[in-house]
């Protein structure tokens, strides 16, 4: 049995179902992300695991024990909130020591453990500060320390980076990932940010309106989406209807299904591809070029369809807006969906 | 060094002008009153007020009357804020009772308590009780509404965090809720201080046997305006002292809230 | 349909319990007073108050005294808020003068004006002027501080935007600054309404020839508690009416501020 | 002469110089970005151009006219603020009509022009709403409309996307860029966000403590930084000291200068490169893999130095964490700096 088991969980608010018979299991030391748009039920599930929200039906098992009806304070679960939720009247030290003091741990031991965790969070010099004097990133690190010092069985993170400005966010994400490894934690992150989920997770469960649409590793979900919903949520896919794609390939594509192409799966060259080269080749004109970090995203007009194509900067300097270019897409990189569901899945494995 | 000079010059200039204007005003008042340009019987004049203040203090009258008023104010503050905090906490935690009774309380607080002063004097007599009741009720309404509002608007996540860390409801109340509500309780108390002072004075106007309010009406009826002014000076000092005491309390209790604003100006370039 | 039912049941239950409790209280009061369980001379009783109210209205006494008090309140509101807005705008724009004088004004506002009522009556006599002066000053301090604060805390970028779009300082004041400050001016006025009412009543307690406050003290001295209660009811109605009028004004003037909160609850899942 | 000329501009606050003799010129229809960390003087310069901040010395010429001492209301310059700065008491329509009404334009014409610009900003259905009822993105579009309707000579944008949440930000950036083209505007954007500057600008002026460190197109600054400051500000460059890089290349690199490598300029292969292939080749082990949109950023450990290497997702699926890989960096892609300044510039032109 897995470390955390969620079994057939249902929950409604005011007759509106937000969790529709959800089951999932999480292994020890795994970093799991519940990903989805707001209102899809992911936060409700997280709060149910913590015991802060009651369930209509279903069970939650942690470490082999049924905790469905246990009081939150007896679950030994740590939770990090978007709004930090530190105790404003206590210093950083007292915030972190709060839980240990409630357990009547001797003061000397409390002091040691608190200082240990503050040190690993790089917060020792802030021990005597109050939350109001800290930056958003520091506050969230204090919140992490306050949970970690209790050695929780599982750490729940409810959109913890939302309120933190873009600059601090990446470094805090790294801190969380490091802490997860260093403390051998089992962590569940709730987020609506696809890139964040990609960066952080071992496993992603993508939610859609109260059900799990697809589960898997980040690369699995990115390269092998099982439905249009997953494809549109995970990347910057080009979505092209069957007729247009048939026109682009001069009639060589005839399956009659909506086609989905990743922008970096399309190859771009100045010279024509050799006759008889695999996949579909076609000609287009560059309409726009937007540099984005180490890639440049080109808009390429082919038969009236504008495709996004991502190219690494070094190669991209060869192309100018207005130029005619040659494109190629290999057949096994074309995903096609019928009525929103994946129809023909061309198997590819990640990491092999 | 240079910059600090500039800075202090800039902020001190209005202060200097203000002081000069105020002093000039007092001197003109004294000059016109003592030179018979107008009859100071209705306004008294600075030197007259100073002379009377000395008599007021040395005769022991100040001590006698001020102590009555101070006793009323402190009694009202103590009882009113105690009741306010206790009831607000009770209704904050038993929210169904809160939903039933708090609208009644805020309805009653719509009646201007000071207008009820004659009735309270009738009910509780000319002694301390009537003033403490009147002023205490005013303090109660201030502190109750501030505290209740603060408890109701607590961030739920903070309570949930305490719960997840192992705290029971009562422990959370004692260690988290009440401390975080202190700013609002204190601001309720600050409103209560003004209310208690005015409640005591008006109570004494309506009917009493002593106190600064009694002294003011008594002096007015004998056209002793210098004494009235002395009493008002004492009231002002009393009010300022109580507010100062609250400032000190606030600085002690709310260390966690003081945000260093130093240098934020400079960052906003 | 179902959900609406649930919703309304949930919110109405406390209201129903509250009404029942209040009605029971009034009935018990009437029962104990009329059955001689205690002497109602100090508290009157519901039916006595109703009987007296009818006499109060039909004898023309209500109209006579209420109109005096209302005149005082309106005079104070009009003059006080006019002076408050004008002076706040002036000091807001000529900020050097503002830096000099606003601390003086806030210093004076520390003296409880109600405590000065005896002096004002001495200065301005038993007529309307003394009450209008007292109540008007209280309104002034409320409106002035609210308006001045609002002007001082205006987002500078909005003024700069207006400037870049071609507006002069005066046009900006008229079209942008004063309209945006309306919420604060109105909240100052709301404080002013309570202050004006209480100022007028206390002024009448201290010395007058008519008005609801005079009627209360007069009736108290004859132990006519039913009449005192009637007067307090009238005062309560007057206060509620003025606040209601402000509500309507606010809804008209502050359309731009009403934020639809419908459904935000549901999104916060 | 250029459309906007800023000549030898100086400005101090409290004896602290924030603009140190700055000169720059901007052509008509150009989209220029003033980029730099906070406190570098970029906002002060923008406010000086608008006339909202006075200058200690220097001149500002717009369209051939000296506007240094002109009242802001006579300059016909539009400005967009981070905090929107709409008139809260007016409807969207009245906000946009404000400037025209001050000019006593006839009501009928005002109505037409306002509706025209609202339509192009996709705000027609919000005309009767008040700012408080709009989202951040909508408010900023209203602010844009309010400026555009005045047909300003130049549009100044002071960190206009800062307060807008990440989801809306990209679409608003596109709107601004579209509007810039559609209205033939001349625009100056102030931002501290390097990616935003890359996406939006024709020309970037990178500020450093009151002076312009480097000017050029986004790709220029990215591929050809003139100093370590520019390199560290513009990308995710690998910065390696001379000794370490010499160790990595087994002594073949001997110039003794700090080396700066772009993460996508390093080539990654499973098989060794051919003997005698150009550039430096070396062997490393993959320590981490973080997916970021269409690329994966690998950490590769070579002789104790961990290099960031960006690879497109399609190619990246071939590599696993822990695997040994072969790397190559071409000599002309190595930037080296001595004492913070670029020492040897290897010329490369963008777009040819």
């Amino acid at each position: 049995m897995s470390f955390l088991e969620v079994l057939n969980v249902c929950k409604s608010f005011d007759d509106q179902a937000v969790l529709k018979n959800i089951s999932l299991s999480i292994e020890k030391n795994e970093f799991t992300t519940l990903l989805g748009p707001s209102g899809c039920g992911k936060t409700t599930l997280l709060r149910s695991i913590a015991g802060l929200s009651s369930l209509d039906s279903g069970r939650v098992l942690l470490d082999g024990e049924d905790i469905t009806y246990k009081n939150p304070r007896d679950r030994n679960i740590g939770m990090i909130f978007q709004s930090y939720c530190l105790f404003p009247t206590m210093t950083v030290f007292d915030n972190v020591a709060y839980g240990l003091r409630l357990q009547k741990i001797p003061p000397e031991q409390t002091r040691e453990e608190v200082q240990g965790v503050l040190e690993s969070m790089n917060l020792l010099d802030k021990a005597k500060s109050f939350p109001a004097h800290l930056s958003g990133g520091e506050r969230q690190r204090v919140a992490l320390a306050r949970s970690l010092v209790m050695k929780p069985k599982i750490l729940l993170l409810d959109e913890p980076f939302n309120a933190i400005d873009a600059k601090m966010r990446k470094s805090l994400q790294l801190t969380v990932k490091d802490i997860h490894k260093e403390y051998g934690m089992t962590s569940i992150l709730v987020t609506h940010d696809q890139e964040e989920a990609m960066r952080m997770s071992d496993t992603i469960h993508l939610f859609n309106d109260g059900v799990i649409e697809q589960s898997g590793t980040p690369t699995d979900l990115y390269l092998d989406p099982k439905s249009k919903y997953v494809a549109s949520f995970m990347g910057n896919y080009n979505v092209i209807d069957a007729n247009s794609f048939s026109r682009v390939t001069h009639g060589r594509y005839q399956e009659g299904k909506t086609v989905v192409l990743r922008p970096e799966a399309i190859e771009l060259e100045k010279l024509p591809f050799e006759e008889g080269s695999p996949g579909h080749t076609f000609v287009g004109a560059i309409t726009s070029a937007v540099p984005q970090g180490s890639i440049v995203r080109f808009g390429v007009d082919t038969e009236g369809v504008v495709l996004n194509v991502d190219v690494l900067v070094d190669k991209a300097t060869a192309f100018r807006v207005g130029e005619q270019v040659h494109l190629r897409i290999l057949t096994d990189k074309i995903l096609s969906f019928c009525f929103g569901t994946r129809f023909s899945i061309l198997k590819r494995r990640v990491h092999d | 060094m240079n910059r600090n000079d500039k800075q202090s010059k800039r902020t001190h200039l209005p202060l200097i002008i203000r002081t000069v204007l105020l002093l000039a005003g007092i001197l003109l008042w004294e000059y016109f009153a003592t030179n018979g340009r107008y009859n100071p019987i209705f306004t008294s004049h600075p030197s007259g007020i100073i002379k009377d203040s000395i008599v007021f203090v040395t005769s022991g009258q100040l001590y006698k009357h001020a102590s009555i008023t101070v006793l009323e104010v402190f009694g009202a503050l103590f009882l009113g804020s105690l009741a306010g905090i206790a009831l607000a906490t009770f209704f904050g935690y038993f929210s169904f009772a809160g939903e039933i009774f708090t609208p009644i309380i805020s309805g009653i607080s719509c009646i201007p308590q000071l207008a009820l002063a004659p009735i309270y004097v009738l009910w509780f007599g000319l002694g301390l009780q009537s003033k403490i009741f009147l002023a205490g009720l005013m303090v109660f309404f201030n502190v109750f509404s501030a505290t209740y509002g603060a408890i109701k608007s607590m961030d739920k996540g903070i309570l949930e965090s305490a719960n997840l860390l192992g705290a029971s409801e009562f422990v959370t109340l004692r260690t988290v809720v009440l401390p975080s509500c202190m700013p609002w309780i204190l601001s309720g108390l600050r409103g209560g201080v003004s209310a208690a002072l005015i409640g005591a004075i008006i109570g004494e106007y309506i009917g009493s046997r002593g106190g600064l309010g009694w002294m003011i009406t008594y002096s007015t009826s004998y056209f002793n305006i210098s004494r009235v002014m002395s009493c008002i000076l004492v009231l002002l000092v009393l009010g300022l002292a109580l507010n100062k005491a609250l400032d000190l309390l606030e600085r002690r209790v709310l260390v966690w809230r003081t945000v260093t604003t130093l240098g934020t100006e400079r960052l906003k370039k």
Side-chain angles (χ1 to χ4, degrees), chain A, chain B:
Chain A
M1 206 172 77
S2 301
F3 188 63
L4 178 78
E5 294 265 6
V6 172
L7 299 169
N8 305 104
V9 155
C10 292
K11 172 79 182 177
S12 301
F13 288 115
D14 294 335
D15 302 339
Q16 198 194 343
V18 290
L19 295 178
K20 299 170 182 166
N21 199 30
I22 290 218
S23 296
L24 57 84
S25 56
I26 285 166
E27 300 304 326
K28 215 176 160 103
N29 300 338
E30 209 179 346
F31 197 110
T32 306
T33 295
L34 312 182
L35 176 65
S38 58
C40 69
K42 57 194 193 306
T43 296
T44 306
L45 179 58
L46 199 76
R47 291 176 58 82
S48 306
I49 295 170
L52 299 174
S53 182
S54 65
L55 289 170
D56 296 344
S57 66
R59 291 195 303 146
V60 179
L61 308 179
L62 178 63
D63 207 2
E65 181 196 3
D66 188 334
I67 59 165
T68 318
Y69 301 105
K70 222 174 175 182
N71 192 307
R73 65 169 169 269
D74 302 322
R75 292 187 184 208
N76 194 16
I77 284 179
M79 184 149 173
I80 307 296
F81 296 84
Q82 178 178 337
S83 56
Y84 321 123
C85 295
L86 299 179
F87 306 129
T89 59
M90 302 179 198
T91 61
V92 166
F93 186 94
D94 292 339
N95 261 283
V96 178
Y98 188 80
L100 296 178
R101 284 176 182 159
L102 286 179
Q103 292 186 350
K104 313 268 183 236
I105 306 285
E108 193 47 44
Q109 190 187 339
T110 301
R111 218 174 64 88
E112 264 171 40
E113 293 193 19
V114 171
Q115 288 200 326
V117 70
L118 284 181
E119 192 166 4
S120 76
M121 298 304 272
N122 204 6
L123 279 169
L124 261 191
D125 55 326
K126 300 284 180 189
K128 287 179 181 163
S129 302
F130 288 96
H133 301 169
L134 302 178
S135 72
E138 286 167 342
R139 285 185 214 189
Q140 203 56 297
R141 265 149 57 205
V142 175
L144 274 166
R146 188 177 64 176
S147 283
L148 287 174
V149 83
M150 303 300 290
K151 300 191 185 69
K153 286 184 179 166
I154 196 160
L155 183 63
L156 309 179
L157 303 125
D158 186 7
E159 311 234 15
F161 312 114
N162 260 20
I164 292 171
D165 64 75
K167 277 190 177 173
M168 281 301 303
R169 196 175 296 168
K170 284 197 181 172
S171 99
L172 190 63
Q173 287 170 348
L174 286 179
T175 308
V176 167
K177 203 67 205 278
D178 288 348
I179 285 295
H180 169 83
K181 281 180 196 155
E182 187 185 328
Y183 283 74
M185 287 302 307
T186 308
S187 310
I188 307 181
L189 169 72
V190 155
T191 184
H192 62 264
D193 181 342
Q194 174 260 129
E195 289 182 28
E196 186 173 301
M198 295 276 284
R199 261 199 297 277
M200 311 268 310
S201 328
D202 298 321
T203 307
I204 294 178
H205 299 282
L206 180 59
F207 275 64
N208 182 15
D209 198 19
V211 300
I212 295 177
E213 186 89 5
Q214 186 173 352
S215 303
T217 68
T219 339
D220 268 343
L221 263 69
Y222 184 72
L223 292 180
D224 200 14
K226 296 272 185 289
S227 69
K228 225 190 253 175
Y229 174 81
V230 180
S232 65
F233 203 90
M234 289 308 291
N236 302 290
Y237 277 88
N238 292 295
V239 179
I240 309 154
D241 70 84
N243 287 340
S244 304
F245 195 62
S246 163
R247 200 169 67 237
V248 167
T249 58
H250 301 290
R252 285 176 55 194
Y253 178 84
Q254 293 176 322
E255 286 185 52
K257 292 161 204 148
T258 298
V259 156
V260 163
L261 307 174
R262 274 176 298 117
E264 75 280 9
I266 304 172
E267 292 164 69
L268 203 62
E269 292 293 345
K270 290 194 94 162
L271 300 173
F273 291 88
E274 285 164 39
E275 271 303 315
S277 85
H280 298 295
T281 60
F282 33 94
V283 177
I286 294 180
T287 58
S288 65
V290 181
Q292 302 188 327
S294 51
I295 59 157
V296 175
R297 170 157 301 167
F298 289 104
V300 183
D301 184 319
T302 322
E303 307 282 340
V305 177
V306 176
L307 296 170
N308 286 325
V309 181
D310 287 357
V311 178
L312 285 180
V313 171
D314 280 77
K315 210 184 157 196
T317 53
F319 302 105
R320 288 164 169 280
V321 171
E323 242 177 16
Q324 185 180 302
V325 287
H326 297 267
L327 300 97
R328 179 170 70 173
I329 178 84
L330 296 176
T331 335
D332 66 350
K333 298 205 168 156
I334 297 172
L335 304 181
S336 55
F337 300 101
C338 205
F339 307 115
T341 324
R342 179 77 170 279
F343 207 73
S344 72
I345 302 167
L346 297 147
K347 274 286 160 215
R348 268 157 307 104
R349 276 292 111 226
V350 180
H351 297 316
D352 78 9
Chain B
M1 198 76 191
N2 237 342
R3 231 181 72 222
N4 274 336
D5 277 11
K6 240 199 221 163
Q7 187 76 12
S8 59
K9 249 185 235 157
R10 224 182 285 148
T11 49
H12 281 171
L13 189 58
L15 181 65
I16 292 163
I17 296 181
R18 198 185 308 138
T19 317
V20 170
L21 281 175
L22 282 177
L23 284 177
I26 291 173
L27 287 177
L28 282 176
W29 179 11
E30 178 72 22
Y31 173 79
F32 281 110
T34 49
N35 280 277
R37 300 295 173 104
Y38 78 96
N39 189 346
I41 188 160
F42 283 130
T43 61
S44 184
H45 54 100
S47 63
I49 296 171
I50 294 171
K51 267 184 224 146
D52 179 79
S53 295
I54 295 168
V55 176
F56 196 18
V57 173
T58 50
S59 65
Q61 290 279 306
L62 172 68
Y63 177 76
K64 183 184 156 196
H65 291 288
S67 61
I68 292 173
T69 305
V70 167
L71 205 62
E72 290 162 359
V73 169
F74 275 95
L77 278 176
F78 179 74
L79 296 173
S81 54
L82 202 71
I85 295 172
L87 219 58
T89 313
F90 180 82
F91 285 147
Y93 261 67
F94 299 93
S95 42
F96 192 71
E99 266 186 85
I100 294 173
F101 287 103
T102 47
I104 298 182
I105 292 177
S106 65
I108 296 174
S109 75
C110 281
I111 309 172
Q113 294 303 312
L114 288 175
L116 296 174
I119 296 197
Y120 295 155
V121 172
L122 195 71
W123 287 353
F124 299 104
L126 297 175
L128 294 179
Q129 293 99 315
S130 57
K131 284 87 198 175
I132 293 181
F133 186 77
L134 169 63
L137 260 181
M138 293 169 76
V139 173
F140 167 79
F141 288 125
N142 261 295
V143 173
F144 174 82
S145 69
T147 312
Y148 186 71
I151 291 177
K152 277 287 153 191
S153 64
M154 272 287 292
D155 183 347
K156 276 219 162 188
I158 293 182
L159 306 181
E160 291 173 348
S161 292
N163 194 358
L164 284 166
L165 289 168
S168 66
E169 290 237 321
F170 178 72
V171 169
T172 310
L173 177 67
R174 189 171 54 79
T175 58
V176 177
V177 178
L178 284 183
S180 335
C181 291
M182 274 317 273
W184 287 270
I185 296 177
L186 283 176
S187 97
L189 210 54
R190 200 175 279 276
V193 163
S194 320
L197 263 175
I198 208 70
I201 296 293
I202 299 296
E204 288 169 3
Y205 283 177
I206 301 298
S208 63
R209 292 190 216 93
L212 290 171
W214 176 85
M215 177 54 94
I216 290 175
T217 38
Y218 177 82
S219 309
T220 312
S221 60
Y222 287 95
F223 287 92
N224 183 359
I225 303 303
S226 298
R227 176 56 57 88
V228 173
M229 292 291 182
S230 306
C231 288
I232 285 171
L233 273 180
V234 173
L235 272 180
L236 198 59
V237 169
L238 194 59
L240 290 178
L242 281 171
N243 269 303
K244 191 75 200 166
L246 269 181
D247 282 345
L248 289 176
L249 184 66
E250 206 163 87
R251 211 174 305 156
R252 244 191 117 83
V253 175
L254 306 185
V255 255
W256 52 275
R257 217 194 179 200
T258 54
V259 176
T260 36
T261 49
L262 230 155
T264 49
E265 189 76 295
R266 318 211 76 228
L267 289 170
K268 284 286 286 179
K269 229 161 263 166

